Amino acid sequence: MKSAFHIAVLDDEVDITQLLANYLQSHGFRVTQLHNGASLMQLMGSDPADLVLLDLGLPGEDGFSIARRMRENWRCGLVIVTGRGDAVDKVVGLEVGADDYVTKPFDLRELVARVKAVLRRLAPDDSRAAASAPASPAASATSERLRFAGWQLDLAARSLANPEGQGVPLTGGEFDLLRAFARHPGRVLSRDFLLEQTRGREAAPFDRTIDVQVGRLRKKIEADPDDPQIIKSVRGAGYIMVPPVTPG
């Protein structure tokens, strides 16, 4: 992880931005403190941040609107840091493009770990993230092998190995589904999106194909399929892969 990544901290509480700035700087990051959406847009046009820590409860333009504008115009890391811990807010935050969602109060060490995880996903070869480049659809993973929670997914061989290194057989549909999750970790994926990724079509009314496939996949990768920790359901929205995904 390079030490010169530029982090923008946007919160209307000066004490919070100062606290985060001091801690992030102690970990080698360059930090800019901001207190409204207009200042963030100005910064992104002149000195783009590699990652933005965004509060939702801002004066004027709300955080969700700012997040949408960020995703429409820039490609950079985006972590929502807010006191709003309602599940609906979390789902909306992830759906508008946030890479992670952290609720206050938070542990500073955990927040820095999440920031580093997002930066690794954006720049897996440890190169600088192209934050100022125009936004584009999520890129496919450049590595042929992806790791998550100890598991290894080999995209070229279309194979899966468990944390003990043993192969776990997957059907073609199960592999395509897991690949879709592994390429979009930390994001809520709708059933329509997953069906398009695995079957090349949209869901018909009452189509539960994806739910059935997710259930089968959970039986193969979850320690307890009834209490999944890798692929979680998001009520009314779809599914999300929880653990970070790294190349290798």
Side-chain angles (χ1 to χ4, degrees):
M1 181 71 62
K2 290 195 173 185
S3 61
F5 281 101
H6 181 197
I7 310 294
V9 180
L10 176 55
D11 196 299
D12 62 337
E13 297 186 36
V14 176
D15 290 346
I16 290 180
T17 61
Q18 188 63 61
L19 172 68
L20 289 174
N22 290 341
Y23 196 78
L24 289 165
Q25 287 166 352
S26 73
H27 282 74
F29 294 103
R30 181 165 65 92
V31 182
T32 299
Q33 300 178 56
L34 305 166
H35 305 290
N36 56 64
S39 61
L40 175 61
M41 299 306 155
Q42 183 177 6
L43 177 74
M44 294 303 293
S46 59
D47 184 17
D50 297 298
L51 183 141
V52 176
L53 297 178
L54 173 65
D55 182 35
L56 292 180
L58 297 168
E61 186 177 10
D62 71 273
F64 289 136
S65 176
I66 293 172
R68 290 189 187 93
R69 284 213 284 160
M70 290 295 297
R71 279 294 172 251
E72 289 171 357
N73 294 283
W74 292 281
R75 188 171 69 247
C76 67
L78 180 60
V79 177
I80 291 176
V81 183
T82 179
R84 292 159 61 172
D86 185 81
V88 174
D89 286 330
K90 291 182 180 180
V91 170
V92 173
L94 294 168
E95 287 190 326
V96 299
D99 297 291
D100 206 344
Y101 192 108
V102 179
T103 55
K104 302 174 184 176
F106 50 80
D107 183 280
L108 287 170
R109 293 169 300 177
E110 179 185 355
L111 180 62
V112 169
R114 289 173 178 266
V115 165
K116 290 180 178 179
V118 171
L119 290 171
R120 282 195 297 269
R121 293 202 296 268
L122 290 174
D125 61 353
D126 203 28
S127 61
R128 291 295 305 277
S132 60
S136 61
S140 299
T142 56
S143 173
E144 290 188 341
R145 294 176 180 173
L146 302 176
R147 288 189 177 276
F148 59 92
W151 294 78
Q152 183 182 75
L153 185 67
D154 191 320
L155 302 183
R158 293 180 65 85
S159 63
L160 176 68
N162 65 20
E164 289 73 42
Q166 301 166 330
V168 176
L170 297 175
T171 66
E174 290 167 351
F175 175 85
D176 291 340
L177 183 62
L178 184 56
R179 178 178 58 188
F181 280 118
R183 284 178 167 172
H184 302 84
R187 294 181 183 275
V188 178
L189 305 181
S190 69
R191 291 175 176 82
D192 282 342
F193 175 83
L194 291 169
L195 193 57
E196 193 279 330
Q197 293 289 304
T198 58
R199 299 293 179 91
R201 63 178 176 84
E202 295 183 353
F206 310 110
D207 190 336
R208 312 309 292 180
T209 302
I210 290 300
D211 299 313
V212 172
Q213 278 201 324
V214 168
R216 290 174 178 168
L217 186 58
R218 281 173 170 165
K219 290 179 180 179
K220 296 185 177 182
I221 67 174
E222 298 281 3
D224 181 1
D226 294 326
D227 183 24
Q229 301 301 309
I230 297 175
I231 298 175
K232 287 183 172 289
S233 302
V234 180
R235 185 181 297 275
Y239 297 94
I240 182 171
M241 175 174 261
V242 176
V245 177
T246 59

